[in-house]
Structure formats: C-alpha cells, structure tokens
Amino acid sequence: MAACRGVWQEGLPEGRRMGTKYLWEKLQTLQCHFNWCLERKDEVVIGHVLKMVALKVEHTAYHNHSVYLAMRAYLQQVQGNYLEALDSLREAETRLQQDHPDNFSRQVLLIYGNYAWIYYHLVNYEMVELYLGRISEICQSLSSPEPYSVQFPEIDAQKGWSLLAFGFRNGEEAAECFQTALRGDPSNPDFQAGLAISVFASWTHSFKFHLREEARRLMEQALCCQPQNYEVKVHLADLLSDNDWRRSMDLRMEVARNSLNPEDLRNAARLWKKNLLPRAINTLREVIALDPDFHLLHYDLGVCYKMQLEEATSEERGEILAAAIESFQRAVETHPQSIFSRLELAQLYGKKAPLHAEEMYQNLLEELPTASKRCQQAIYLHWGDFLLHRKGLRQEALEMYQAGYLITGSHVKERRQLEARLMKLAEKFEEDSEMDQAEAVFETLRMRPEFQK
C-alpha cells in the first residue's frame, strides 16, 4: 500500500495536466488520512486494520467516532471500494454533527480532505474543487494563515487516534500528537486518555522502564476523569501485573464484568493466561460467541491451548493439540493474511506433518518483501527453528536467525527471541570447538539494530 500517494494523469492535454497538477499540490496540504502517511513504517494488512477500526466505531469510549469512520473510508478506497468509501464519509459527517454540533467546523476538515482525495482518484475534479472550496472557507473563517489547513488541538488528536488505530508501533508519534493537542486544550479528558494509551503503546514496543512508569501515571490520571474507561483500565492492569497483582486482578475483573468491547476482553484474557489459564480460555470462548469473526480471539485461544500442551499428560495431548490447531485454523479462515496464525499452524504441524509445515513456511517466505518488520522477524525465527530442530540444518538456521536479528526498527519481543537463539547456537559452536562460527555469532550480536541507521 503506497503512502501519501497522488495520481498523475498521463495522456491528458497539456492544459488539463497543468490543472491536475495544481489540484494535486493543493491536496498535499490537507490535514487528512491521505497526507498523514499512516502506513509508512511498515506494510499493513488492510483487512486487519479495518476489523480493528470496526470495533472502535462500535465501542470507542471517546467522542471520536467520525475519525474512525473517515479512516474506514480511507482504507476502503485503498482497496478500490470508492462507493463504500464515500458512504463511510457521509456516515462520518452525520456522526460528527451528532457528537460535536458546536464544534463541527474545527473537526470536519479531516472528512472534507478525505472527500477531496477520493474524488481526485475518481477523476472527478469538479467535486475536488467543491471540497477544497469548503476547506478554504472554514480555514478563512477560523483566521488561519494557511488556505487549506489550520492549527487546532482537535486535528492533532484526530491524527493521534488514527496512528494508534494503525498499530501500537506508532505509539511514539501518536504521543507527540496528543501532547500537542493538550498544549491547546490541557483539560480535555479524551486527549489525556489518548496520551496515556500512546505512551503505553510505546512501552509495549520497547519495554523501557521510564515509559512504563509514565504510562502508569498518565492512566491513573485519565481514570480520575473517566472512571468507566475500560480500555485504559485493562492496560493499567497490564502495567500493574508485576508489582500490584491484587489491583491488577481487580481491574481485569471489572473489565470482564462491564466491558462489551471484544478487544478489551481479549486483553483481559491475555493477562489471565499468565497465571489463570483456564479463566483465560473460558473468557475467550465467551467473547468468540459474541464476535466469532474477530480473528485475534481465535489466535489467542490457540496460544492458550499451546500453553496447556506444555503441562498436559500424554492422554490429554491429542485433544488439546486438536483444539489448538482448530483455533489457529479459524484465525486463518477469518483473516487469511494473518502471518502469525499461519506460523503457529506451521509449528504445530511440524512434528506430525513436516512436509506440509515446510510448504507453509515456503509460502510465508515468499511474502517477506511485503510483510511488516515484526512479521519478517517472526518468519525468520520460526523458519530457523524448523531448519534447526526438524531438519538438523544448523548453518542454515543460523543464517535465518541472523537475518531476523539484524532487521532495523523491529519489535523488541521477536528480537529478544532471536538473540536467545543466537546465544544458544554460539554456545553450541563453542562446545564443538567451532570457534570461528561462534565468533561470527557474537559479532552479529554486537550489531544492535537500534544503533544502525
């Protein structure tokens, strides 16, 4: 999916091309999803993001429904569904009028900007001009020095919510947006919650202690203003799980009793699986009954069954293994592009059907160029494990682990797993007196990705 893309109309008469270029230059200045380059860090799977956006439209705790509806329109046009995209924008306008009748003009620029871009892609330049004109009128009425943009905290927050919806890997950038919004509106409870979630998102991708403490402080502050915010509560429960287990448990229980958001309930179950695995499994089964098409619920249930396998007796293993495979298969059925679900399936098939597992890995390797950096790491990790443990190819496995470890801007969880694999291989090389190989591994480990530019 290309970021911030414009369309250059080849084959048009010279005068028409110049007019098109003039429109395109105006469109570049709009404050909307097309210009925020939301996917520039990694390729994203549109189906997954659309599902997450649908959950947010239905269950958001904030007055930002129109942001997600406008984002849905952006994603629909990426898929080529232009009529659906226009319908989503009309719905976004209606919802914005309901949620912010006294503040409509300060927040509608996002919707009008998306309209203008979609009509540009439809080569309907009359409608492009119409929405550019509406945007210009609003900016002029708000005394903006720029003809097609204006500096307001609401717009910074809209960008922050959109970045988070595209993935927690955008936490740092989203936090900057909410910090800017709060400088303009310091007491806004939605902005405070947005900042808290953004810092938490940053922590989940770095596990830095200062981010953990800052996220905890911000979430406590946000709950003072929004005591029924179950999204914040379940993330706070995560932060407290190591040093205040009782309160963490109370927060999870409150979320499970009161939240109707499948994502909140899924996050509560993920916390329970650490020490109350049966409770996690029961919760996920209950939520699946409410939303059977949410692929991450099936994925997490499969992970729980895999954890059960580690403690299962020989008599129990067959039934639990079948349940795990069924859960990951359902995850793939509901979201065929899910790389992590397919990796889990391949791993489970590794013993009983190695040829089928190898075929699955080969298919995943073909998707490396378009996969996110985290998914690339996961593919290298799992394929390396298969080469090492199922085929006995230590050198080939080493090359896969090295390739995954050296991916820059990657996710800390997978990088740590790859680091552990490399350390074990280095120790094995030393035991076998293959000192050159061991030193090569240690050299790789010294090449920390975060220091590479």
Side-chain angles (χ1 to χ4, degrees):
M1 184 173 66
C4 302
R5 64 190 193 286
V7 176
W8 181 247
Q9 302 297 331
E10 298 290 349
L12 292 175
E14 178 67 20
R16 184 69 176 277
R17 287 207 308 271
M18 292 304 293
T20 302
K21 182 180 180 182
Y22 180 59
L23 284 179
W24 184 83
E25 290 173 348
K26 289 182 178 180
L27 289 169
Q28 293 294 317
T29 66
L30 302 182
Q31 296 163 303
C32 64
H33 290 117
F34 288 81
N35 292 338
W36 286 339
C37 305
L38 297 170
E39 71 282 6
R40 67 181 179 273
K41 293 184 177 180
D42 295 312
E43 290 291 329
V44 290
V45 179
I46 300 301
H48 167 74
V49 182
L50 274 170
K51 176 60 181 179
M52 303 309 294
V53 168
L55 289 174
K56 291 180 182 299
V57 169
E58 185 174 357
H59 297 287
T60 180
Y62 317 103
H63 300 92
N64 60 357
H65 294 83
S66 62
V67 177
Y68 297 129
L69 290 166
M71 187 171 174
R72 186 176 75 188
Y74 168 70
L75 295 168
Q76 287 167 332
Q77 72 79 34
V78 171
Q79 294 180 317
N81 300 322
Y82 294 101
L83 294 180
E84 292 180 11
L86 292 173
D87 285 341
S88 290
L89 289 178
R90 295 184 190 104
E91 188 177 347
E93 274 191 277
T94 300
R95 189 58 194 248
L96 183 60
Q97 287 279 17
Q98 295 171 355
D99 289 347
H100 300 280
D102 300 325
N103 199 18
F104 181 80
S105 63
R106 290 168 67 106
Q107 302 201 41
V108 77
L109 295 180
L110 166 63
I111 298 171
Y112 287 172
N114 281 7
Y115 264 127
W117 266 113
I118 289 173
Y119 280 120
Y120 183 81
H121 288 300
L122 289 171
V123 200
N124 188 337
Y125 301 129
E126 183 177 348
M127 293 300 291
V128 176
E129 291 279 17
L130 172 68
Y131 280 99
L132 285 173
R134 290 183 180 180
I135 292 169
S136 179
E137 289 176 7
I138 291 173
C139 291
Q140 188 174 10
S141 70
L142 296 173
S143 303
S144 172
E146 301 296 331
Y148 300 106
S149 63
V150 63
Q151 297 303 313
F152 275 127
E154 291 88 347
I155 295 174
D156 293 304
Q158 288 174 336
K159 184 177 180 181
W161 293 123
S162 300
L163 286 163
L164 287 176
F166 255 83
F168 268 18
R169 67 185 178 279
N170 298 315
E172 182 177 355
E173 191 174 355
E176 293 174 0
C177 293
F178 285 112
Q179 286 166 347
T180 302
L182 283 165
R183 283 196 286 271
D185 188 357
S187 60
N188 188 300
D190 283 4
F191 298 173
Q192 291 172 357
L195 178 59
I197 295 168
S198 299
V199 176
F200 174 80
S202 297
W203 171 72
T204 65
H205 277 64
S206 69
F207 296 107
K208 294 179 179 177
F209 180 77
H210 77 278
L211 288 175
R212 179 192 186 108
E213 292 303 298
E214 179 67 3
R216 184 194 60 76
R217 182 186 67 80
L218 290 168
M219 286 185 173
E220 298 281 16
Q221 177 181 313
L223 286 176
C224 290
C225 300
Q226 297 179 331
Q228 305 307 314
N229 190 325
Y230 299 112
E231 180 182 15
V232 169
K233 285 187 176 183
V234 76
H235 292 324
L236 180 58
D238 191 353
L239 293 170
L240 296 174
S241 58
D242 290 334
N243 54 18
D244 193 345
W245 188 83
R246 174 49 55 192
R247 184 164 179 233
S248 175
M249 181 64 70
D250 290 343
L251 287 167
R252 294 177 224 176
M253 294 293 290
E254 186 178 352
V255 171
R257 284 194 304 268
N258 298 299
S259 179
L260 297 176
N261 186 344
E263 178 65 0
D264 292 344
L265 296 169
R266 183 179 80 92
N267 284 325
R270 290 174 70 188
L271 295 175
W272 271 318
K273 74 182 182 184
K274 299 176 182 178
N275 41 36
L276 290 172
L277 192 56
R279 179 64 184 267
I281 290 173
N282 289 336
T283 299
L284 288 168
R285 285 173 173 167
E286 291 171 0
V287 185
I288 286 172
L290 298 174
D291 192 349
D293 294 328
F294 186 12
H295 61 284
L296 291 180
L297 296 174
H298 297 287
Y299 174 84
D300 282 357
L301 183 57
V303 171
C304 289
Y305 285 133
K306 276 187 65 179
M307 294 174 68
Q308 271 195 333
L309 275 174
E310 297 174 5
E311 305 294 331
T313 64
S314 57
E315 292 80 11
E316 297 171 328
R317 286 189 61 82
E319 182 179 353
I320 296 173
L321 178 61
I325 289 175
E326 182 182 2
S327 293
F328 289 125
Q329 284 175 335
R330 285 288 295 137
V332 173
E333 289 169 8
T334 52
H335 184 48
Q337 299 86 4
S338 173
I339 285 177
F340 283 96
S341 297
R342 290 150 67 199
L343 284 171
E344 293 290 353
L345 266 180
Q347 185 183 55
L348 290 176
Y349 282 130
K351 279 187 178 180
K352 58 185 294 186
L355 291 178
H356 181 48
E358 184 165 358
E359 181 182 354
M360 294 180 70
Y361 283 125
Q362 291 296 337
N363 291 335
L364 286 160
L365 287 166
E366 292 178 3
E367 298 178 25
L368 272 172
T370 57
S372 72
K373 292 181 179 181
R374 184 182 183 188
C375 286
Q376 288 175 11
Q377 282 191 305
I379 292 170
Y380 282 125
L381 175 69
H382 283 255
W383 177 232
D385 287 348
F386 183 84
L387 290 171
L388 182 63
H389 301 298
R390 301 291 171 226
K391 305 192 75 170
L393 300 174
R394 187 163 63 179
Q395 181 59 37
E396 289 81 353
L398 170 63
E399 292 171 3
M400 294 302 101
Y401 295 149
Q402 288 174 320
Y405 180 77
L406 293 175
I407 292 174
T408 59
S410 48
H411 194 277
V412 66
K413 178 182 176 182
E414 279 69 28
R415 186 169 63 77
R416 286 178 177 175
Q417 291 174 326
L418 287 159
E419 184 176 13
R421 301 295 199 280
L422 288 169
M423 286 295 296
K424 286 185 178 179
L425 277 182
E427 292 169 1
K428 183 62 177 174
F429 284 132
E430 287 183 325
E431 290 173 7
D432 295 343
S433 299
E434 298 180 45
M435 305 311 295
D436 289 345
Q437 287 284 60
E439 180 54 34
V441 176
F442 287 126
E443 180 62 28
T444 299
L445 290 168
R446 286 191 286 268
M447 298 169 65
R448 305 290 288 186
E450 61 266 34
F451 296 137
Q452 298 180 23
K453 302 297 183 183

